Amino acid sequence: MTLRRLISAVAGFISAALCLVVTATPGQAALCVAPFPITVSSVTTTLLSPYDPFSGTDATLGVTITLSNSLISLGCDVSISFTRLAGLPAVMSQGANSLQYTIESPGGATLLQTTGFVQGSSPAPANRIDAVVPLLGSVSVNVIIRVPAGQLVAAGNYSDLQVTLLVVSRGVLLSNTPRAIIAQQAFVPSISVVSKCVLPAPSSSTLDFTSAISHGVPNPAIVKSTQFTNVQCTAPSILRLSGSAMQPVLATPPKTGFDNSINWRANGTFGNASSSLNTSIASQADSGSKNVGSGATSNGNINVDVNLLSGNPIISGNYSGVLKVTIDPNL
């Protein structure tokens, strides 16, 4: 390693600078010294596509950070890291709600640290990406923002205002440690959480009302029930019941004094939401309120009771119908 004096003409004037250079293979980097010629010329958007906690896969976004070198000399050894003085694990927030995330290298190493810059030690090799910015050129570094799957939080927009993008110079050869801060700027990961519910299968998907037919006449006193457990929503939802009268499985001609369809009533509850459907007057009924006032629902229950409506004797045969239970925050 030698020390030499560089005289350069830049923008019509003469300037002198001292620079340590390595007399090795072409393209090898040098120790950056103040005033630093390295700038963060661009950072792609950190807005993630909507997060679906029920998708089963992590939400990820590749972010490209470009560093530029305006110096007419050799390149500079630099490192990129992210400081979060508020602590780890990192979270994006919406009011009192929080969503964990990480910032990673393409190889999966975490680039978030809480120490910031400490000459000679931080950011540590495990929490940074090293790069060389060539003379009068630029280098692009790719990082990944990852939001792990399965975090049930309230729908809405989340962001983290506690993160700083940190670029430091490094020593060369055997002293590959942080030397000085080159640049630092705010870095704001953001994401929106979708409004969505997940409805598991009911405890019973078939309600048999054979015992509710007495002497050919429907008996309204017999009630059949089913339940949905572990219902999850990211936002308040209404409860919708829909269906129509049971019809003969095989075509049955009408007969005077007899019914060839069976009407029924269904009553459903989902938290603060309740709905009642009478198929003799409607095919759909929505709750007048939502299951909760705000926020997400975890391990919720939907209870549905069904009974036949009284009527004329029915024509003998097999009858069937479908009751549809719907929850959706977007309704």
Side-chain angles (χ1 to χ4, degrees):
M1 184 176 293
T2 62
L3 177 66
R4 68 183 182 184
R5 186 177 181 84
L6 299 181
I7 308 295
S8 59
V10 181
F13 63 89
I14 303 298
S15 65
L18 293 178
C19 184
L20 290 174
V21 299
V22 180
T23 58
T25 56
Q28 195 166 10
L31 173 66
C32 287
V33 295
F36 298 110
I38 307 300
T39 58
V40 180
S41 55
S42 68
V43 178
T44 59
T45 178
T46 56
L47 178 64
L48 291 169
S49 57
Y51 176 70
D52 181 351
F54 310 117
S55 69
T57 57
D58 297 350
T60 59
L61 174 71
V63 179
T64 301
I65 300 166
T66 301
L67 306 176
S68 299
N69 186 355
S70 61
L71 187 66
I72 305 177
S73 69
L74 292 178
C76 289
D77 276 352
V78 299
S79 296
I80 290 178
S81 185
F82 297 86
T83 303
R84 192 176 192 276
L85 298 178
L88 297 175
V91 294
M92 301 182 210
S93 299
Q94 179 204 53
N97 302 308
S98 61
L99 188 65
Q100 290 191 16
Y101 75 98
T102 61
I103 302 177
E104 304 174 352
S105 69
T110 179
L111 300 177
L112 281 161
Q113 38 79 24
T114 59
T115 307
F117 169 74
V118 176
Q119 189 176 47
S121 63
S122 181
N127 303 128
R128 73 191 193 210
I129 294 179
D130 295 341
V132 176
V133 189
L135 70 156
L136 287 179
S138 63
V139 65
S140 293
V141 175
N142 296 317
V143 302
I144 297 169
I145 300 175
R146 181 182 303 277
V147 183
Q151 299 182 73
L152 180 58
V153 296
N157 298 317
Y158 289 71
S159 63
D160 186 6
L161 305 179
Q162 307 296 323
V163 180
T164 300
L165 166 62
L166 177 65
V167 183
V168 301
S169 65
R170 287 181 292 111
V172 294
L173 298 180
L174 298 179
S175 180
N176 190 28
T177 59
R179 306 297 298 176
I181 296 176
I182 292 178
Q184 54 184 339
Q185 65 185 54
F187 186 84
V188 184
S190 302
I191 195 170
S192 62
V193 177
V194 297
S195 295
K196 185 176 180 179
C197 289
V198 171
L199 185 63
S203 58
S204 177
S205 58
T206 300
L207 302 180
D208 188 348
F209 284 92
T210 301
S211 63
I213 304 299
S214 178
H215 303 292
V217 178
N219 180 2
I222 295 180
V223 178
K224 301 289 185 176
S225 301
T226 190
Q227 184 181 55
F228 300 82
T229 59
N230 194 30
V231 179
Q232 300 181 84
C233 295
T234 62
S237 173
I238 67 166
L239 173 63
R240 171 176 290 175
L241 304 178
S242 55
S244 56
M246 287 191 282
Q247 302 295 327
V249 174
L250 300 177
T252 303
K255 188 175 182 180
T256 302
F258 288 83
D259 290 335
N260 63 350
S261 64
I262 307 173
N263 282 297
W264 45 269
R265 176 187 290 108
N267 297 308
T269 58
F270 177 34
N272 296 329
S274 60
S275 179
S276 182
L277 173 64
N278 182 331
T279 62
S280 68
I281 57 177
S283 60
Q284 179 177 293
D286 292 347
S287 60
S289 59
K290 297 190 175 183
N291 68 307
V292 291
S294 62
T297 297
S298 176
N299 298 318
N301 293 319
I302 297 177
N303 298 295
V304 180
D305 298 324
V306 183
N307 65 278
L308 304 183
L309 297 178
S310 58
N312 295 319
I314 59 173
I315 300 173
S316 62
N318 295 320
Y319 291 74
S320 67
V322 175
L323 165 61
K324 184 178 180 181
V325 178
T326 303
I327 52 173
D328 188 344
N330 302 298
L331 292 175

